[in-house]
Amino acid sequence: MLKNGKFFIPPPKDGSDFKELFKRLAAAGARRPLGSDGFPEGPWTPELLAEAISQIDSNRVGVDLRTVQLWFQENEKGISTANIRWLARIFGCDDPAAISEWQMELSEAQSRLAAKRRDAKKSGGGAALAVPGTSWTATVEDETGSPAELTRETDIKRAERRFSLATKSEALFSRGSPLNLPASVFAGASALGFLSYIVGIHSVTYARADGVVKQVGFLWAPNWTFLFMVLLPLFFALVIELLVFWKGEGRLKLLARGDKMESDRDWGRNVEASSYSYWAVLLICVLFAGLFQWIGVCLIPLMNGGNDYAISWGTLAIVHPEHISVPMSILFTALAYLYMCLCFYLFFVGLILLHTMVHDLWKIEEASKTRPEVEYRHELTELGLRLMRGIFRCTVLGILVAICMKAQSSYLTSSRESIVAWFVGDVSSALRQHADVGNSFGYRMPTHYSSLLVAVSTCVVFLYGSIRLGAGSRFHVPLWKMSAVVAFLFACYLLIDAFAGFSILLSIGVLLGVYGLCDPGFGHRRTSEVGNQGVS
């Protein structure tokens, strides 16, 4: 039978397992081009089949030759869910209906092979006795349900034997109690607060050159207290909740066989694929945001004096050595900045994991486009909406983190006595319609830049998720609401200290963000209704 100029064989549906079915199709040359005599050019070889699969346009990673060779050999190796799709494309001769039929036939054949393997084990002979010549090592690997991507699995095993920053970082979020990481961050912030009491900088004022008396105590700085004691623990808790759901439940719902071990291996490959991102983030956070910033903002001014930066609890020893000595200030700021850079590394790890979850769902969705089942498409919609709601919550918290950082930095250069008086004064200025006294000092404000990096990075992850998972307009109503809140909150961040009355706009944005944390659907409670609209 010809189909699109290729030799087509319809699915036999005779109850064959994968090995039997594949052997017949390869020998018959199914989908091979026809020669001048009207017959296929010959049977498939591992090299020809691997090349044909790799040339499929939507297959960006191709297939390993060793994997294809295992399909031809007499062993118990089966085929992964991803490769079933590519093999169905080959045997279906690029016809959508035929591809769908072959995908179902290959999936059923693989299930029959797995059933035979289980029956062989139950019989007492073991898988190694069922297939002569099969080594014990190969049998043990088969019992774990290996999907035949041996080359990639070897890379993962090697990565596990050596130190893997990506894997270790992901483990902080996915292993152990979900309370461990948030509680550790909270404990670190609490310890710094107690130390500030001990050294005497928890609540301290100083008189600026223009006569303004400013509160610069450690406990009065929201970017060191509220940020690390409330916002970051909440952020980590939400990322952990979403990650544990995705690994333990979400991915399994979309896999044809629901193999937990195969799902974990696939997820491990996805995490390891971003290893360079983890190292880049570690370098930026520890070396630049941590060490270099501490040297420039704290160490050098404490050692040499200087007025390039606004006085804060970290540099109070310059103007009030009676409150804290320079050596003690150097030690305390070093501990604080070390804690800060490690926490922000974990913050960006959370963003990378959110991106990985979105990309993972998108890849699964792309690989399942030939599956027309309404139930399956509905499941994809529900999982996509759940991921986006979790990412929205994390995005709101990320922007609130950036707001805390920029607000404290702007306050230090203002003419108000405390950060509370600064906000109240801004509201009063707006109501009285006169501008407040502006900043008369040309201070450098590096926190403005670092806060912008935090806000932009957080919004980019949300934007990526919206594009990847919301392209089909399956749930555009709640997605548009979430996008509007994120855009408004980001605008509020940018407009901090930009005009008189900015705090009114900021208060509205924060209230919307807090409401979004409690109800990310903004009244759209029934996820199932959204899914039904998306598949109708």
Side-chain angles (χ1 to χ4, degrees):
M1 181 186 299
L2 286 179
K3 193 178 287 288
N4 294 328
K6 303 292 193 305
F7 179 51
F8 175 73
I9 298 178
K13 300 180 180 179
D14 57 357
S16 303
D17 63 35
F18 173 73
K19 287 294 182 181
E20 298 167 346
L21 180 62
F22 179 79
K23 187 176 181 180
R24 292 200 303 267
L25 291 167
R31 207 264 189 188
R32 294 296 314 279
L34 300 180
S36 57
D37 55 358
F39 291 94
E41 292 183 352
W44 284 109
T45 64
E47 293 78 10
L48 289 173
L49 185 55
E51 182 181 0
I53 293 176
S54 300
Q55 287 177 351
I56 298 175
D57 293 337
S58 57
N59 188 359
R60 301 178 181 178
V61 296
V63 65
D64 188 72
L65 176 60
R66 176 59 182 158
T67 298
V68 180
Q69 288 172 342
L70 289 170
W71 300 342
F72 283 83
Q73 296 171 1
E74 290 293 336
N75 54 38
E76 290 194 341
K77 295 290 184 181
I79 182 172
S80 67
T81 305
N83 285 331
I84 284 178
R85 179 195 178 196
W86 307 127
L87 206 54
R89 288 281 298 271
I90 295 295
F91 294 152
C93 298
D94 298 325
D95 181 77
I99 291 172
S100 180
E101 291 178 5
W102 265 115
Q103 187 159 333
M104 290 187 289
E105 179 71 13
L106 290 170
S107 298
E108 292 171 359
Q110 171 59 25
S111 299
R112 286 189 285 269
L113 178 64
K116 286 184 178 180
R117 186 166 55 195
R118 288 193 298 269
D119 293 340
K121 292 174 187 175
K122 291 178 182 178
S123 66
L129 298 179
V131 182
T134 303
S135 67
W136 171 253
T137 303
T139 303
V140 172
E141 291 176 352
D142 286 346
E143 287 177 359
T144 64
S146 172
E149 292 284 354
L150 292 185
T151 302
R152 294 179 187 174
E153 284 190 17
T154 301
D155 294 339
I156 295 300
K157 290 176 182 177
R158 288 174 181 170
E160 289 175 352
R161 285 195 294 268
R162 68 175 189 270
F163 176 77
S164 172
L165 180 64
T167 303
K168 296 293 184 183
S169 300
E170 188 267 350
L172 292 174
F173 287 80
S174 62
R175 297 178 187 174
S177 170
L179 189 62
N180 289 346
L181 185 56
S184 299
V185 174
F186 180 85
S190 301
L192 287 176
F194 279 116
L195 286 176
S196 71
Y197 261 105
I198 294 172
V199 299
I201 57 171
H202 59 286
S203 180
V204 182
T205 60
Y206 91 100
R208 210 165 59 178
D210 58 355
V212 176
V213 178
K214 296 191 70 65
Q215 172 62 251
V216 292
F218 180 85
L219 297 183
W220 284 79
N223 61 326
W224 287 96
T225 52
F226 187 74
L227 191 157
F228 291 105
M229 299 182 77
V230 178
L231 296 181
L232 278 189
L234 277 177
F235 175 86
F236 292 139
L238 290 176
V239 174
I240 290 171
E241 179 187 12
L242 201 61
L243 179 61
V244 170
F245 162 76
W246 179 245
K247 287 182 63 179
E249 185 178 346
R251 292 190 94 256
L252 292 176
K253 289 181 178 179
L254 302 178
L255 296 180
R257 288 171 290 168
D259 191 333
K260 180 70 164 64
M261 300 187 72
E262 180 183 345
S263 175
D264 289 342
R265 280 192 295 270
D266 289 342
W267 173 255
R269 282 191 285 267
N270 291 335
V271 171
E272 194 61 34
S274 303
S275 59
Y276 289 107
S277 300
Y278 288 88
W279 282 107
V281 167
L282 181 66
L283 178 68
I284 294 297
C285 289
V286 174
L287 199 59
F288 290 90
L291 181 61
F292 291 163
Q293 185 174 216
W294 172 71
I295 291 174
V297 175
C298 296
L299 182 61
I300 293 177
L302 286 170
M303 297 290 291
N304 303 328
N307 57 359
D308 290 338
Y309 302 99
I311 295 296
S312 66
W313 58 265
T315 54
L316 186 65
I318 298 175
V319 294
H320 283 303
E322 68 275 10
H323 286 293
I324 183 173
S325 65
V326 170
M328 181 59 70
S329 187
I330 290 175
L331 178 60
F332 184 81
T333 54
L335 289 175
Y337 272 75
L338 175 62
Y339 167 79
M340 178 269 295
C341 70
L342 293 178
C343 284
F344 273 101
Y345 167 71
L346 293 174
F347 173 81
F348 283 103
V349 167
L351 294 182
I352 294 174
L353 290 174
L354 293 177
H355 171 275
T356 305
M357 284 184 273
V358 170
H359 190 69
D360 192 24
L361 178 57
W362 174 73
K363 286 198 304 181
I364 294 174
E365 187 174 1
E366 287 293 305
S368 63
K369 281 189 173 179
T370 55
R371 294 185 61 174
E373 301 97 318
V374 173
E375 236 178 87
Y376 187 81
R377 310 310 301 179
H378 175 57
E379 195 68 57
L380 279 172
T381 300
E382 285 195 331
L383 288 175
L385 183 54
R386 177 156 183 176
L387 279 187
M388 283 309 302
R389 283 178 171 173
I391 292 172
F392 167 72
R393 284 173 160 173
C394 295
T395 302
V396 168
L397 289 171
I399 299 177
L400 291 178
V401 165
I403 287 174
C404 282
M405 296 169 67
K406 187 176 181 180
Q408 174 66 12
S409 179
S410 299
Y411 154 70
L412 290 175
T413 64
S414 71
S415 58
R416 291 294 179 174
E417 298 79 12
S418 68
I419 192 167
V420 175
W422 179 55
F423 280 114
V424 173
D426 177 73
V427 174
S428 176
S429 298
L431 296 177
R432 295 177 184 176
Q433 297 184 352
H434 71 83
D436 198 3
V437 179
N439 172 29
S440 58
F441 294 86
Y443 291 129
R444 297 178 186 176
M445 294 181 287
T447 306
H448 276 31
Y449 177 69
S450 55
S451 67
L452 181 63
L453 291 180
V454 170
V456 170
S457 301
T458 308
C459 291
V460 164
V461 173
F462 179 81
L463 180 63
Y464 179 80
S466 301
I467 293 173
R468 286 299 193 200
L469 304 183
S473 298
R474 297 183 303 272
F475 43 83
H476 60 273
V477 173
L479 185 59
W480 274 113
K481 291 180 180 179
M482 292 186 285
S483 301
V485 172
V486 169
F488 184 72
L489 202 55
F490 183 72
C492 293
Y493 158 79
L494 293 176
L495 295 174
I496 290 177
D497 204 28
F499 59 91
F502 76 90
S503 55
I504 299 175
L505 193 67
L506 182 61
S507 300
I508 297 173
V510 171
L511 287 175
L512 282 174
V514 171
Y515 180 81
L517 289 175
C518 301
D519 180 17
F522 292 94
H524 202 94
R525 297 180 180 178
R526 296 189 61 184
T527 306
S528 58
E529 291 179 0
V530 181
N532 291 334
Q533 292 172 5
V535 297
S536 59

